Amino acid sequence: MPRVVVDVMPKPEILDPQGKAVLGALPRLGFSGVTDVRQGKRFELAFEGEVTDAVLAEVEKMAETLLSNPVIENYAVRVES
């Protein structure tokens, strides 16, 4: 069954307090070398049949109107098999 994935991330200029909290916790847990963490969201949408250009256009609309906040977040749409 084809699946379309929408990855949503805060724009680079937007503060990411959750990412900063993870970054601060990593050394306390014994992990080193990480210089930055950004936390985002992943949506997996399953479709019956083929994922056509029309389906991808609809997913783009979903991503822009519901799955992300375009003022503070970027998103990327891709197909996974």
Side-chain angles (χ1 to χ4, degrees), residues 57-79:
E58 282 293 306
V59 173
E60 286 280 340
K61 287 180 189 175
M62 291 176 205
E64 189 171 320
T65 59
L66 176 65
L67 304 179
S68 74
N69 178 347
V71 174
I72 62 169
E73 296 173 316
N74 292 323
Y75 64 87
V77 176
R78 61 191 165 84
V79 178

Side-chain angles (χ1 to χ4, degrees), residues 5 8 22 27 30 45 49 55 64-65 75 81:
V5 175
V8 180
V22 171
L45 308 168
V55 169
E64 189 171 320
T65 59
Y75 64 87
S81 25

Side-chain angles (χ1 to χ4, degrees), residues 17-73:
Q18 291 175 313
K20 294 293 181 208
V22 171
L23 181 63
L26 289 172
R28 292 192 301 271
L29 296 172
F31 299 103
S32 61
V34 178
T35 59
D36 194 26
V37 175
R38 304 287 287 172
Q39 183 172 331
K41 302 177 275 190
R42 174 185 164 111
F43 297 91
E44 296 180 359
L45 308 168
F47 291 90
E48 292 182 10
E50 186 178 338
V51 176
T52 63
D53 288 342
V55 169
L56 289 176
E58 282 293 306
V59 173
E60 286 280 340
K61 287 180 189 175
M62 291 176 205
E64 189 171 320
T65 59
L66 176 65
L67 304 179
S68 74
N69 178 347
V71 174
I72 62 169
E73 296 173 316

